[in-house]
Amino acid sequence: MLLQCGDMSCTTILIGKAASYDGSTIVARNDDSGHGKYDPKRFVAVRPEDQPRRYVSEISHAVKDLPDDPCLYSIVPNALPGRGILAEAGASVRNVAMSATETIAVNERVLAADPMVALVPAVGEPGEEGYRPEQPGGIGEEDFITLVLPYVHTAREGVERLGALLERYGTYEANGIAISDVDEIWYVETIGGHHWIARRVPDDCYAAIPNQLGLDDFDLEDALGDQKEHMCSADMREFIETNHLDVSMDADPRHLSHLNPRALFGTRTDKDHIYNTPRAWYMQRYLNPSDDWDSPNARYTPISDDIPWCRRPENKVSIEDVDFLMSSHFEGTPYDPYGTRGTEETRRRYRPIGINRNGQLVALQIRPYAPEGNRSVMWISYGSNPFTSLAPFYANVTSTPDYLANTTGEVTTDSFYWTNRIIAALADPHYQANRNDIEHYREDVLSFGHRLVAATDAAVDSARADASVNNITRSEEPYVVSNDLADANQAMADYLRARTQQLLGSVLYTSSNLMRNAFSMSDR
């Protein structure tokens, strides 16, 4: 099987601590490959001694010297070479988490004012007439987590470091990046090659983000002043004014204190109405169901350009809600490709969230009630999200289970990624016939995962209490890792492997009986 890499697309949901079911901050994103391309994923821990001190971007060839004090962190990068590390999602021993990136778009005026910093290949050979050396590009999705996560202690500090890197090196693509800790979630959007804005997610809100510039309200005075809820490039006001980016009809110059970045910097195209806005519409439809979403008088429709970036949900949001939303395909609407409502045209009209090209989904949960050593949990799934389930893994470990870590280009059921992709391909043509088995699988994996986390937390707490009673001094190593966490991750992987194999068998049997060449008469 030939696998290629291409531009990434994805869907993100951010859940503030007062909007989540247990007071955690939750950052979730599924990582999708481009059309016709599939990127295998793996789950690995990066020890401080394995973090590079001199980093070279594979795509842009930019060279960066890194600090000498990285911490332990876990990531879910691409399994195959060719596009750099592409860490995608990660959490550190310092309980800072990061998701990178949500591919977005900025308009032509922005690109003219601050062009992307793309790699310019060398022309000719050294010594030849007209030779021009290579000009390295900026930083991008392949680099962000590796350059930021192991060096910061808070989400706010992460935004500051990322902003400084963007201003120094520039970027060759437009992206949204989420950075969280136990108290805050920040969302950063790149504006052209060197500029950026960031907003803190309100504690009692969620933010639903497809592949478009999402921020719709930004307090520039705060960003350039106290930075309580907003941050940005130091010259953002001058950048807007000099390049005539303000399109508001409000003649009062004070309106610039509150901007609509979506209007100033973003795009509004027919492609957005097919690919992006329907996903934001569906996520908000699910989390705020009392609103009118479907009548001719509905305030927001799948093609609305003004769907809010963030809202207060009607009920607190759980991991199960995240799993459903990031696996969804417009269930209960005429736009469900597996549904019976609407027409053949409506069922294929919009790009679903759960799509064949999902590579991984990670929900980064930082829990305030857990001790710092086991506070961060990475809920992980691989492959097409409608056919799999999130499963929890502790981030503060020095190694990860082979079933999730040793993904290669070989299609094998020894790999969680490949097994899930096989299941999806077998089940998709007969979705309704396989649906019950998939739903039972998700229920089993999620419930086992919650039980395992609760039991592991209790075991870690008990061990800590015993150490205190016996006056055992805790190690002063740069990072302290409990063996209980690695054991729990292995137990989760073992259960996941057995239960996924069981689902594969069920789906294979059901889909085999529904093959087009089936014939009911046997020889006996």
Side-chain angles (χ1 to χ4, degrees):
M1 178 180 293
L2 178 62
L3 293 168
Q4 306 175 46
C5 293
D7 293 338
M8 297 293 179
S9 55
C10 39
T11 308
T12 294
I13 187 166
L14 313 174
I15 303 157
K17 60 185 180 182
S20 74
Y21 73 108
D22 66 344
S24 298
T25 56
I26 301 175
V27 167
R29 169 178 159 269
N30 55 21
D31 169 39
D32 313 331
S33 56
H35 173 64
K37 302 167 187 177
Y38 300 92
D39 296 313
K41 304 294 176 181
R42 58 198 186 105
F43 171 44
V44 298
V46 182
R47 302 176 187 229
E49 57 267 29
D50 296 327
Q51 175 76 359
R53 270 38 176 194
R54 188 168 179 81
Y55 179 86
V56 181
S57 300
E58 187 163 345
I59 293 175
S60 67
H61 299 181
V63 179
K64 307 155 200 74
D65 290 321
L66 298 179
D68 199 35
D69 60 346
C71 70
L72 174 72
Y73 65 110
S74 295
I75 55 175
V76 185
N78 276 13
L80 302 183
R83 296 192 64 219
I85 296 173
L86 279 167
E88 300 300 344
S92 77
V93 69
R94 296 169 178 160
N95 295 306
V96 179
M98 191 168 175
S99 176
T101 65
E102 184 74 32
T103 303
I104 60 175
V106 293
N107 62 50
E108 294 83 354
R109 300 183 308 282
V110 171
L111 294 173
D114 186 7
M116 296 298 183
V117 185
L119 170 69
V120 179
V123 175
E125 297 293 333
E128 294 180 348
E129 183 178 354
Y131 166 72
R132 292 198 299 271
E134 175 184 276
Q135 297 179 36
I139 58 176
E141 181 171 347
E142 68 160 314
D143 312 303
F144 290 142
I145 290 179
T146 303
L147 298 180
V148 173
L149 183 60
Y151 305 104
V152 299
H153 298 79
T154 66
R156 183 180 292 267
E157 189 180 327
V159 175
E160 292 168 349
R161 176 169 172 80
L162 176 60
L165 290 168
L166 288 168
E167 291 168 13
R168 177 178 179 183
Y169 295 103
T171 183
Y172 52 85
E173 57 189 0
N175 283 309
I177 303 100
I179 311 176
S180 62
D181 57 32
V182 72
D183 291 314
E184 298 186 325
I185 302 174
W186 284 83
Y187 185 64
V188 183
E189 292 186 320
T190 62
I191 309 298
H194 300 84
H195 291 81
W196 57 277
I197 57 177
R199 181 177 168 188
R200 184 181 184 273
V201 178
D203 290 340
D204 63 346
C205 289
Y206 69 90
I209 309 167
N211 293 119
Q212 61 185 152
L213 195 144
L215 292 175
D216 58 354
D217 183 71
F218 191 80
D219 187 338
L220 189 59
E221 295 295 331
D222 180 43
L224 297 175
D226 294 337
Q227 299 186 340
K228 293 180 179 179
E229 308 287 337
H230 305 78
M231 289 189 271
C232 68
S233 306
D235 66 340
M236 183 56 70
R237 188 189 301 278
E238 293 78 11
F239 178 65
I240 293 169
E241 294 175 346
T242 301
N243 296 288
H244 312 290
L245 298 177
D246 179 19
V247 294
S248 171
M249 290 294 289
D250 189 341
D252 186 341
R254 288 176 297 180
H255 82 269
L256 276 177
S257 64
H258 262 278
L259 307 176
N260 181 348
R262 199 182 295 177
L264 271 68
F265 309 129
T267 61
R268 184 171 61 185
T269 67
D270 286 341
K271 180 178 179 180
D272 286 326
H273 296 159
I274 296 170
Y275 201 79
N276 293 318
T277 54
R279 285 182 277 159
W281 171 83
Y282 190 77
M283 287 190 279
Q284 295 199 8
R285 182 182 187 272
Y286 178 83
L287 293 174
N288 292 89
S290 296
D291 289 2
D292 177 8
W293 297 97
D294 302 309
S295 83
N297 298 318
R299 173 68 180 85
Y300 302 111
T301 74
I303 62 171
S304 293
D305 292 312
D306 59 347
I307 297 172
W309 177 71
C310 71
R311 292 190 66 179
R312 189 175 188 271
E314 292 182 19
N315 294 294
K316 292 188 176 183
V317 184
S318 67
I319 292 294
E320 289 70 37
D321 292 324
V322 171
D323 198 20
F324 171 79
L325 283 172
M326 303 301 271
S327 306
S328 61
H329 38 86
F330 307 124
E331 290 94 320
T333 77
Y335 314 118
D336 183 355
Y338 299 118
T340 57
R341 298 180 59 185
T343 66
E344 182 60 28
E345 185 278 326
T346 63
R347 289 193 288 271
R348 305 299 299 178
R349 184 179 297 176
Y350 301 130
R351 180 253 202 239
I353 297 172
I355 198 171
N356 63 324
R357 296 181 275 109
N358 297 141
Q360 54 91 351
L361 164 61
V362 177
L364 301 160
Q365 181 185 21
I366 307 181
R367 306 169 305 147
Y369 50 84
E372 291 189 7
N374 50 303
R375 180 165 287 175
S376 296
V377 175
M378 300 173 65
W379 294 78
I380 299 172
S381 70
Y382 292 159
S384 184
N385 296 144
F387 303 94
T388 184
S389 173
L390 285 172
F393 293 89
Y394 287 96
N396 187 10
V397 292
T398 57
S399 62
T400 54
D402 288 348
Y403 189 51
L404 284 84
N406 291 348
T407 312
T408 67
E410 179 187 1
V411 180
T412 170
T413 55
D414 289 333
S415 160
F416 184 44
Y417 174 86
W418 287 116
T419 307
N420 281 340
R421 191 154 293 290
I422 293 168
I423 289 169
L426 289 171
D428 175 84
H430 314 290
Y431 177 80
Q432 296 299 340
N434 286 294
R435 182 176 178 178
N436 278 346
D437 286 330
I438 295 166
E439 289 178 352
H440 290 153
Y441 169 81
R442 177 174 281 123
E443 180 182 279
D444 289 348
V445 171
L446 285 166
S447 57
F448 180 89
H450 280 297
R451 287 195 304 273
L452 180 65
V453 169
T456 304
D457 284 349
V460 172
D461 287 345
S462 176
R464 185 176 290 104
D466 289 344
S468 177
V469 168
N470 292 296
N471 295 317
I472 298 174
T473 302
R474 293 183 60 80
S475 171
E476 296 300 326
E477 294 293 324
Y479 51 87
V480 179
V481 178
S482 167
N483 290 333
D484 289 319
L485 305 188
D487 291 345
N489 285 358
Q490 188 60 55
M492 187 70 246
D494 290 344
Y495 177 85
L496 198 57
R497 179 168 187 158
R499 189 62 183 85
T500 305
Q501 286 294 117
Q502 182 183 352
L503 177 61
L504 174 60
S506 299
V507 168
L508 177 61
Y509 175 79
T510 298
S511 297
S512 294
N513 287 332
L514 296 172
M515 290 172 63
R516 292 175 63 118
N517 63 354
F519 201 77
S520 59
M521 183 183 295
S522 302
D523 57 350
R524 289 288 183 270

